[in-house]
Amino acid sequence: MSASSQDFAAVERGRYLANAADCGSCHTIPGGRPLAGGRPIETPFGVLVSPNITPDRETGIGAWSDQEFDVALREGIRRDGKHLYPAMPYPYFARMSRQDVKDIRAYLSTVAPVHNAVVSDRLPFPLNIRAAMIAWNRLYFTPGEFHAQPSKSEEWNRGAYLVQGPGHCGACHTPKTILGGDKTSASLQGYTLQGWVAPDITSGDGPLAPWSVDDLAQYLKTGHNRFAAAAGLMGEVVDLSTSKLSDPDIKAMATYLKDINGPKPSAESSADQKVLAAGAAVYQDLCSACHKSDGKGVPNLIPDLSQAATVNTGDPTTVLRVILQGAQTVATDREPTGPAMPAFGWQLNDAQVAAVATYIRNHWGKAPPVSEDQAKKEREALQARTN
């Protein structure tokens, strides 16, 4: 193989891995120049801003060596020696090999350089003291590449590598401690961030229990399946990452995830019957035309509320957000129609929003009832984000 052929192969591998790692979601402002940074990223501790990772030598990473890039991705240390925050998911990228990272760098070197100086440090004192990450890393960061489990199939191990490594699924779907580290004992069992619920994606008796491997693979590849449609942050993941992966890799991820057992669901909650009746009336008036009276929706278009993971989860944030603000589902090459749900926040007061959310979550699930105060707080949070 010629040197040029080797270079091209490395770039293509790097392009694929960059898609698997969903670099575009964080490092590109929607509608902006690819990978030029500047996108605000909400964290429980404040807002960070993604850096420019184009090959511009002054404001991007064009002057970085391959070694400096590797240390940043797999060890969380910047070129200037300062520590990165785990919003850049180096605890997961550490599972990639040095060659993986070198290939990503080869690809990034081919994108159009953009001169865009970004100030990432926007956390308040004392959180802006990056040296504190030394202690955080001792608590929550385990370096080391991914190692296959000999007792598992090649497909399972490929899925484990993608989920645990470049895909960094746990960065969103694993609960966090008060310091923002993963609760490894509850891996992939759900977390709320940036105003969306990343649900429990383990199998067993969790909210994805009815989903087959093929259901999960279809969702990751197209953004739609017979149960659900991806919107919000997960819509971006599908659009910019998983839809661009090969069918075998998507199947491998689904195979791995369906092999992880999570906790048993809690007992059915008891909601006030008057609230349920009020919620049922709102549902019949505003929701049943699309989602049907039985909540089944339309396969591959309108979510099935009886099987949607975000309906049957403890945190009602996503349900409230979608009722109040509406949602645009993702459109992909294989599912080019991405239906949108209209906003009803202008039409419903907080008590009505809480009632219909409680009805949906209790009639088709076993989730806790939603209070009027929760609906009010979510409305205020959405207004704050808009302003």
Side-chain angles (χ1 to χ4, degrees):
M1 181 182 292
S2 67
S4 60
S5 297
Q6 290 176 337
D7 292 344
F8 179 77
V11 168
E12 287 305 301
R13 287 194 303 269
R15 185 196 308 275
Y16 189 86
L17 285 166
N19 286 334
D22 200 20
C23 301
S25 285
C26 288
H27 291 278
T28 303
I29 296 175
R33 300 287 297 277
L35 305 176
R39 180 167 186 174
I41 300 171
E42 291 182 43
T43 78
F45 309 102
V47 175
L48 293 169
V49 180
S50 63
N52 179 354
I53 58 171
T54 72
D56 181 73
R57 294 187 64 82
E58 294 182 7
T59 63
I61 60 171
W64 289 32
S65 69
D66 286 349
Q67 173 65 16
E68 289 167 338
F69 184 73
D70 184 89
V71 169
L73 254 67
R74 298 201 299 157
E75 298 180 31
I77 300 176
R78 301 192 315 191
R79 189 188 187 207
D80 62 5
K82 293 183 179 180
H83 285 264
L84 292 168
Y85 296 109
M88 203 295 285
Y90 63 88
Y92 295 89
F93 292 166
R95 304 294 165 256
M96 292 191 287
S97 68
R98 184 177 181 86
Q99 186 62 53
D100 290 339
V101 174
K102 189 175 181 180
D103 290 343
I104 292 175
R105 175 65 194 281
Y107 161 65
L108 292 177
S109 297
T110 69
V111 305
V114 180
H115 190 84
N116 182 35
V118 175
V119 178
S120 297
D121 295 338
R122 299 191 184 182
L123 293 181
F125 179 84
L127 298 174
N128 62 340
I129 300 176
R130 289 179 178 264
M133 290 305 302
I134 297 173
W136 190 95
N137 286 336
R138 288 174 179 167
L139 290 171
Y140 301 113
F141 176 42
T142 303
E145 297 179 19
F146 174 81
H147 294 288
Q149 292 191 23
S151 62
K152 297 292 186 178
S153 68
E154 182 178 347
E155 181 179 56
W156 187 97
N157 276 297
R158 176 63 176 173
Y161 161 76
L162 290 167
V163 169
Q164 297 174 17
H168 62 281
C169 302
C172 292
H173 289 275
T174 295
K176 304 294 184 278
T177 70
I178 193 172
L179 297 177
D182 283 353
K183 293 182 179 179
T184 54
S185 62
S187 179
L188 302 176
Q189 292 178 19
Y191 183 58
T192 300
L193 72 167
Q194 298 182 35
W196 295 95
V197 173
D200 180 351
I201 55 173
T202 59
S203 189
D205 296 319
L208 296 189
W211 293 30
S212 67
V213 168
D214 288 341
D215 289 329
L216 184 50
Q218 182 183 8
Y219 180 84
L220 292 172
K221 185 69 179 182
T222 72
H224 301 261
N225 66 14
R226 60 188 173 131
F227 297 134
L233 297 179
M234 191 61 203
E236 284 191 23
V237 171
V238 172
D239 182 27
L240 299 174
S241 179
T242 57
S243 67
K244 300 182 185 303
L245 302 185
S246 69
D247 289 351
D249 273 354
I250 289 296
K251 182 74 173 295
M253 292 175 71
T255 297
Y256 169 70
L257 289 171
K258 289 300 294 181
D259 193 49
I260 301 175
N261 289 326
K264 291 186 177 295
S266 59
E268 186 171 357
S269 64
S270 56
D272 185 278
Q273 293 301 310
K274 290 183 179 179
V275 172
L276 288 175
V282 174
Y283 180 87
Q284 190 61 39
D285 286 345
L286 300 179
C287 312
S288 61
C290 293
H291 290 284
K292 309 283 187 66
S293 295
D294 60 4
K296 294 294 185 181
V298 179
N300 301 315
L301 286 175
I302 310 295
D304 178 348
L305 298 178
S306 67
Q307 304 295 348
T310 51
V311 169
N312 196 21
T313 192
D315 191 327
T317 297
T318 291
V319 172
L320 289 172
R321 180 169 186 159
V322 171
I323 293 170
L324 289 165
Q325 190 182 53
Q328 173 67 59
T329 65
V330 66
T332 58
D333 290 341
R334 295 194 187 178
E335 288 288 348
T337 301
M341 175 172 160
F344 293 106
W346 64 274
Q347 190 174 355
L348 302 175
N349 62 32
D350 294 334
Q352 292 170 318
V353 169
V356 71
T358 296
Y359 172 75
I360 291 169
R361 287 161 53 81
N362 279 260
H363 191 69
W364 291 295
K366 298 179 180 180
V370 181
S371 69
E372 184 176 346
D373 186 56
Q374 286 176 299
K376 178 182 178 181
K377 288 181 178 178
E378 182 58 28
R379 189 191 297 271
E380 291 172 346
L382 289 172
Q383 290 172 345
R385 288 191 181 93
T386 302
N387 297 333

